[in-house]
Coordinates of all heavy atoms in Angstrom, one line a residue:
T6 N 134.2 152.6 -38.4 CA 133.6 152.5 -39.7 C 132.5 153.6 -39.8 O 132.5 154.3 -41.0 CB 132.9 151.1 -39.8 OG1 133.9 150.1 -39.6 CG2 132.2 151.0 -41.2
Y7 N 131.8 154.0 -38.8 CA 130.8 154.9 -38.9 C 131.5 156.3 -39.0 O 131.0 157.2 -39.9 CB 130.0 155.0 -37.6 CG 129.0 156.0 -37.6 CD1 127.7 155.9 -38.4 CD2 129.0 157.1 -36.8 CE1 126.7 156.8 -38.5 CE2 127.9 158.1 -36.8 CZ 126.9 158.0 -37.7 OH 125.8 158.8 -37.6
A8 N 132.5 156.6 -38.3 CA 133.3 157.9 -38.4 C 133.9 158.0 -39.8 O 134.0 159.2 -40.3 CB 134.4 157.8 -37.4
L9 N 134.4 157.0 -40.4 CA 134.9 157.0 -41.8 C 133.9 157.3 -43.0 O 134.3 157.4 -44.0 CB 135.8 155.8 -42.0 CG 137.1 155.7 -41.2 CD1 137.7 154.3 -41.4 CD2 138.1 156.8 -41.7
Q10 N 132.6 157.3 -42.6 CA 131.7 157.4 -43.6 C 131.6 158.9 -44.1 O 131.3 159.1 -45.2 CB 130.3 157.1 -43.1 CG 130.0 155.6 -42.8 CD 128.6 155.3 -42.3 OE1 127.9 156.4 -41.9 NE2 128.3 154.1 -42.1
D11 N 132.3 159.8 -43.2 CA 132.5 161.1 -43.7 C 133.8 161.5 -44.4 O 134.2 162.6 -44.3 CB 132.2 162.1 -42.4 CG 130.9 162.0 -41.8 OD1 130.0 162.1 -42.7 OD2 130.7 161.9 -40.7
W12 N 134.4 160.4 -44.9 CA 135.8 160.7 -45.4 C 135.8 161.8 -46.5 O 136.8 162.5 -46.7 CB 136.4 159.4 -46.0 CG 135.7 158.6 -47.1 CD1 134.7 157.8 -47.1 CD2 136.0 159.0 -48.4 NE1 134.3 157.4 -48.4 CE2 135.0 158.1 -49.2 CE3 136.8 159.8 -49.2 CZ2 135.0 158.1 -50.6 CZ3 136.9 159.8 -50.5 CH2 135.9 158.9 -51.3
P13 N 134.8 161.9 -47.4 CA 134.9 163.0 -48.5 C 134.9 164.3 -47.8 O 135.6 165.3 -48.2 CB 133.6 162.7 -49.3 CG 133.2 161.3 -49.1 CD 133.5 161.1 -47.7
T14 N 134.2 164.5 -46.7 CA 134.3 165.7 -45.9 C 135.5 166.0 -45.3 O 136.1 167.2 -45.4 CB 133.1 165.8 -44.9 OG1 131.9 165.4 -45.4 CG2 133.0 167.2 -44.2
Y15 N 136.2 165.0 -44.8 CA 137.6 165.1 -44.3 C 138.6 165.6 -45.4 O 139.3 166.5 -45.2 CB 138.1 163.9 -43.6 CG 137.4 163.4 -42.3 CD1 136.5 162.2 -42.2 CD2 137.6 164.3 -41.0 CE1 136.0 162.0 -41.1 CE2 136.9 163.8 -39.9 CZ 136.1 162.7 -40.0 OH 135.5 162.3 -38.8
L16 N 138.5 164.9 -46.5 CA 139.3 165.2 -47.5 C 139.2 166.6 -48.1 O 140.2 167.3 -48.5 CB 139.3 164.1 -48.8 CG 139.6 162.7 -48.4 CD1 139.4 161.8 -49.6 CD2 141.1 162.7 -47.9
G17 N 137.9 167.0 -48.2 CA 137.7 168.4 -48.7 C 138.2 169.4 -47.7 O 138.8 170.4 -48.2
A18 N 138.1 169.1 -46.4 CA 138.6 170.0 -45.5 C 140.1 170.1 -45.4 O 140.7 171.2 -45.2 CB 138.1 169.7 -44.0
A19 N 140.7 168.9 -45.7 CA 142.2 169.0 -45.7 C 142.7 169.6 -46.8 O 143.7 170.3 -46.8 CB 142.7 167.3 -45.8
W20 N 142.1 169.5 -47.9 CA 142.4 170.2 -49.2 C 142.2 171.7 -49.0 O 143.1 172.6 -49.3 CB 141.5 169.8 -50.4 CG 141.7 170.5 -51.7 CD1 140.9 171.2 -52.4 CD2 143.0 170.6 -52.4 NE1 141.5 171.8 -53.4 CE2 142.7 171.4 -53.6 CE3 144.3 170.1 -52.2 CZ2 143.7 171.7 -54.5 CZ3 145.2 170.4 -53.2 CH2 144.9 171.3 -54.3
L21 N 141.2 172.1 -48.3 CA 141.0 173.6 -48.1 C 142.2 174.1 -47.1 O 142.7 175.1 -47.3 CB 139.8 173.9 -47.4 CG 139.4 175.2 -47.0 CD1 139.4 176.2 -48.1 CD2 138.1 175.4 -46.2
S22 N 142.6 173.2 -46.1 CA 143.7 173.6 -45.3 C 145.0 173.7 -46.0 O 145.7 174.6 -45.7 CB 143.9 172.5 -44.2 OG 142.7 172.5 -43.2
L23 N 145.2 172.8 -47.0 CA 146.4 173.0 -47.8 C 146.4 174.2 -48.6 O 147.4 174.8 -48.7 CB 146.6 171.7 -48.6 CG 147.8 171.6 -49.4 CD1 149.1 171.6 -48.6 CD2 147.8 170.4 -50.3
K24 N 145.3 174.5 -49.3 CA 145.3 175.8 -50.1 C 145.3 177.0 -49.3 O 146.1 177.9 -49.7 CB 143.9 175.7 -50.7 CG 143.8 174.6 -51.9 CD 142.6 174.9 -52.8 CE 141.2 174.8 -52.1 NZ 140.0 175.1 -52.9
L25 N 144.8 177.0 -48.1 CA 144.9 178.3 -47.3 C 146.4 178.4 -46.8 O 146.9 179.5 -46.8 CB 144.0 178.0 -46.0 CG 142.6 178.2 -46.2 CD1 141.8 177.9 -44.9 CD2 142.1 179.5 -46.8
S26 N 146.9 177.2 -46.5 CA 148.3 177.3 -46.0 C 149.4 177.8 -47.0 O 150.2 178.6 -46.8 CB 148.9 175.9 -45.5 OG 148.0 175.4 -44.5
L27 N 149.1 177.2 -48.3 CA 150.0 177.6 -49.4 C 149.7 179.2 -49.8 O 150.8 179.9 -50.0 CB 149.8 176.8 -50.7 CG 150.1 175.3 -50.6 CD1 149.7 174.6 -51.8 CD2 151.7 175.1 -50.3
A28 N 148.5 179.6 -49.8 CA 148.4 181.1 -50.0 C 149.0 181.9 -48.8 O 149.6 182.9 -49.2 CB 146.9 181.4 -50.1
A29 N 148.8 181.5 -47.6 CA 149.5 182.2 -46.6 C 150.9 182.1 -46.6 O 151.7 183.2 -46.3 CB 149.0 181.7 -45.3
F30 N 151.5 181.0 -47.0 CA 152.9 181.0 -47.2 C 153.5 181.8 -48.3 O 154.6 182.5 -48.1 CB 153.3 179.5 -47.6 CG 154.8 179.2 -47.8 CD1 155.6 179.3 -46.7 CD2 155.3 178.9 -49.1 CE1 157.0 179.0 -46.8 CE2 156.7 178.6 -49.1 CZ 157.4 178.7 -48.1
V31 N 152.8 182.1 -49.4 CA 153.2 182.9 -50.5 C 153.2 184.3 -49.9 O 154.2 185.2 -50.1 CB 152.3 182.9 -51.6 CG1 152.6 184.0 -52.7 CG2 152.4 181.5 -52.3
L32 N 152.3 184.8 -49.1 CA 152.0 186.1 -48.6 C 153.3 186.2 -47.5 O 154.0 187.2 -47.5 CB 150.8 186.3 -47.9 CG 150.6 187.6 -47.1 CD1 150.7 188.8 -48.0 CD2 149.2 187.6 -46.4
A33 N 153.5 185.2 -46.8 CA 154.6 185.3 -45.7 C 156.0 185.5 -46.4 O 156.8 186.2 -45.9 CB 154.6 184.0 -44.8
C34 N 156.2 184.7 -47.4 CA 157.5 184.8 -48.1 C 157.6 186.2 -48.6 O 158.8 186.8 -48.6 CB 157.6 183.8 -49.2 SG 157.9 182.2 -48.6
S35 N 156.6 186.8 -49.2 CA 156.8 188.1 -49.9 C 157.0 189.1 -48.7 O 157.9 190.0 -48.8 CB 155.5 188.5 -50.5 OG 155.2 187.5 -51.6
L36 N 156.2 189.1 -47.6 CA 156.4 190.0 -46.4 C 158.0 189.8 -45.9 O 158.6 190.7 -45.4 CB 155.4 189.8 -45.5 CG 154.0 190.2 -45.9 CD1 152.9 189.9 -44.8 CD2 153.9 191.7 -46.1
G37 N 158.3 188.5 -45.7 CA 159.5 188.2 -45.2 C 160.7 188.7 -46.0 O 161.7 189.2 -45.4
L38 N 160.6 188.6 -47.2 CA 161.7 189.1 -48.2 C 161.8 190.6 -48.1 O 162.9 191.2 -48.0 CB 161.5 188.6 -49.5 CG 162.8 189.0 -50.7 CD1 164.0 188.4 -50.0 CD2 162.4 188.4 -51.9
L39 N 160.7 191.2 -48.2 CA 160.6 192.8 -48.1 C 161.1 193.2 -46.8 O 161.8 194.3 -46.6 CB 159.1 193.2 -48.4 CG 158.7 193.1 -49.8 CD1 157.2 193.5 -49.8 CD2 159.5 193.8 -50.7
G40 N 160.7 192.6 -45.7 CA 161.1 192.9 -44.3 C 162.6 192.7 -44.2 O 163.2 193.6 -43.5
A41 N 163.2 191.7 -44.7 CA 164.6 191.5 -44.5 C 165.4 192.6 -45.3 O 166.4 193.0 -44.8 CB 164.9 190.1 -45.3
L42 N 164.9 193.0 -46.4 CA 165.6 194.0 -47.2 C 165.4 195.3 -46.5 O 166.4 196.2 -46.4 CB 165.1 194.2 -48.6 CG 165.3 193.0 -49.5 CD1 164.6 193.2 -50.9 CD2 166.7 192.7 -49.7
A43 N 164.2 195.7 -45.8 CA 164.1 196.8 -45.0 C 164.9 196.8 -43.8 O 165.4 197.8 -43.4 CB 162.6 196.9 -44.6

Side-chain angles (χ1 to χ4, degrees):
T6 303
Y7 182 72
L9 286 172
Q10 289 180 353
D11 293 314
W12 66 269
T14 306
Y15 289 112
L16 292 181
W20 175 239
L21 177 61
S22 295
L23 182 59
K24 291 192 295 184
L25 293 175
S26 300
L27 293 177
F30 181 67
V31 172
L32 175 61
C34 287
S35 302
L36 293 175
L38 186 57
L39 292 176
L42 294 176

